[in-house]
Structures are given as C-alpha cells and as structure tokens.
Amino acid sequence: MNVKQLAAEKAVEYVEDGMKVGLGTGSTAYWAIRKLGERVSEGLKITAVATSRASEEQARELGIPLVAFGDIDSLDLTIDGADELDNSLQLIKGGGGALLREKIVASNSTRMIVIADEGKVVSTLGKFPLPVEIVPFAWEWTVAELAKLGCQPELRRNGEELYKTDNGNYIADCRFVEEIESAPKLALTIQSIPGVVDHGLFIGIAAMAIVGKHDGSIEIIEAQSKN
C-alpha cells in the first residue's frame, strides 16, 4: 500500500452512516473516494458532493450517492488532500486545479480531514507554488499585481493552451522567492486584488491531518483549540 492510500483509507474510517460527505480532488483524494465506494457497496449509507468533475465521475462509477448542493445546507465531513501543510494545519491547495470548489465545500463542512504523505508536511509554507484562481478578463493586470507580493506568477498551461478550471478561470501558480512569513496576512492581501477569484491558502479550515509515512505508520495532526 502506498503512503497516500494509507492516509486516505484511515480518513475514511471517520465516515459514519448517514453522513453528508465532501469528496476532495487529486491523487490522494482518489484513494479516499475509492475506499468510500467499497464501504458503500458493503452497506454504508451516505450522500456526497464532489469538488471537481473528475471526482464526481469517479464517485458515480463507484456507486456513491451524489446530491445537488441546493438540496443540502452543510456537510458533516470533507476529506481532501493538500500540496503543503504545516503543524498548525495551514494548507496550500490547488495543484489539481479545484481550489475554489474545494474551499467552498470544506468551508461548509463541520469538519475537514486533510490526507497527505509525509513529504507534504513542512515547517513553513511556500516551497510549493501557491495557486491563485483568476478571471480571464485583464489577467495580465492581475498577474502584475500578484508579482508585487514577492512571487513569480506563471499562468498554468494544459499543453499549448492555457489551463482552465472547471469554473472557466485561469490559475496563476505563484512561486515565492522566500517562504511565506504570514499565511493569514498573505491570504487577505491576495483576496483584495481585483481579478482574483480565490487562492490556495486554506487557513483555519482543516480540523485534522492524517499523514502517511513510508515506514507504514500514520501521524495525526489536530488543530489547536481556539479556546
């Protein structure tokens, strides 16, 4: 079993009968959806929403019942991966291009569990280029504003074409010259730039991280109480 699968299958143990579950996107979330499909076939009763077309297609193929967003007001649990996470459960997400939908789903969940391999855990965020979803209109100006933040933004490509999210937007992958000193501050600054739809910094959203290690063990990181 690979380390991503190890973490993902542990997270699925937290899914209980009757839950409304958010399905993440990416190579680690794939394993969680696959395990959920197995549990559903064994009799687990859940309803789910997906954060991308790819995850939705996988869920349908596995027989996981999907529900429209308009038919529910919140979720019990979302399981999703991360491109980077620190011990305070601050995340960089969006490598798979679904950051906006992932943030909407996670923010409307009672609990978010992050699944990752040990290589994704860092002391300070910023080595992984930060994805920022931007509207196509006047994207050159938006990218120029992002560059003023001390990063080198580059529009993501899909072959010869510019990559487009499921929402029809572009993604600027922002490589910071130095590590991110204050993720909460940077998150607010990026969000204030006209043309930015959202960014891959997830602050104060995750409740737990399950980290798979190459020795076969699992580390669990829990968010510190705000009380």
Side-chain angles (χ1 to χ4, degrees):
M1 183 181 295
N2 67 44
V3 289
K4 293 181 178 181
Q5 184 179 359
L6 186 69
E9 296 196 351
K10 179 66 178 177
V12 172
E13 293 178 11
Y14 289 85
V15 179
E16 300 175 359
D17 230 39
M19 277 189 167
K20 295 171 287 185
V21 182
L23 308 177
T25 295
S27 59
T28 310
Y30 163 87
W31 292 106
I33 297 171
R34 195 177 87 157
K35 186 63 177 179
L36 267 177
E38 290 179 12
R39 290 195 60 194
V40 167
S41 69
E42 295 166 356
L44 178 70
K45 304 295 184 184
I46 62 168
T47 53
V49 296
T51 55
S52 67
R53 292 171 186 165
S55 293
E56 182 177 337
E57 289 173 7
Q58 183 190 5
R60 289 192 189 283
E61 290 173 359
L62 294 171
I64 298 173
L66 295 171
V67 64
F69 287 94
D71 293 338
I72 54 174
D73 55 4
S74 64
L75 299 168
D76 298 298
L77 176 66
T78 287
I79 300 173
D80 205 350
D83 298 301
E84 275 189 351
L85 66 143
D86 64 17
N87 286 320
S88 297
L89 291 187
Q90 299 181 129
L91 318 174
I92 287 182
K93 289 177 54 55
L99 67 93
L100 176 60
R101 296 188 181 193
E102 289 171 339
K103 189 174 286 187
I104 291 171
V105 169
S107 296
N108 286 278
S109 302
T110 300
R111 195 180 195 197
M112 179 194 186
I113 296 179
V114 180
I115 47 178
D117 64 80
E118 60 185 325
K120 302 293 177 65
V121 182
V122 297
S123 57
T124 308
L125 299 179
K127 291 182 180 178
F128 189 90
L130 174 65
V132 179
E133 185 162 344
I134 64 175
V135 297
F137 177 78
W139 65 263
E140 297 92 341
W141 291 359
T142 307
V143 167
E145 288 300 311
L146 289 170
K148 294 176 183 178
L149 302 179
C151 66
Q152 298 171 345
E154 183 176 340
L155 286 190
R156 189 177 298 182
R157 305 192 75 85
N158 183 13
E160 295 298 316
E161 303 293 326
L162 288 175
Y163 174 88
K164 283 193 174 182
T165 69
D166 285 349
N167 314 302
N169 297 315
Y170 297 156
I171 286 187
D173 290 306
C174 301
R175 186 175 298 279
F176 282 82
V177 178
E178 299 179 359
E179 293 176 330
I180 297 171
E181 184 176 339
S182 172
K185 181 179 178 181
L186 179 62
L188 289 173
T189 302
I190 293 176
Q191 198 65 60
S192 70
I193 297 174
V196 167
V197 179
D198 214 327
H199 52 76
L201 287 170
F202 282 51
I203 311 297
I205 297 176
M208 173 191 290
I210 298 177
V211 181
K213 298 193 172 186
H214 288 90
D215 63 4
S217 65
I218 287 174
E219 178 185 4
I220 293 180
I221 305 171
E222 296 194 70
Q224 297 297 313
S225 173
K226 295 181 181 179
N227 297 328

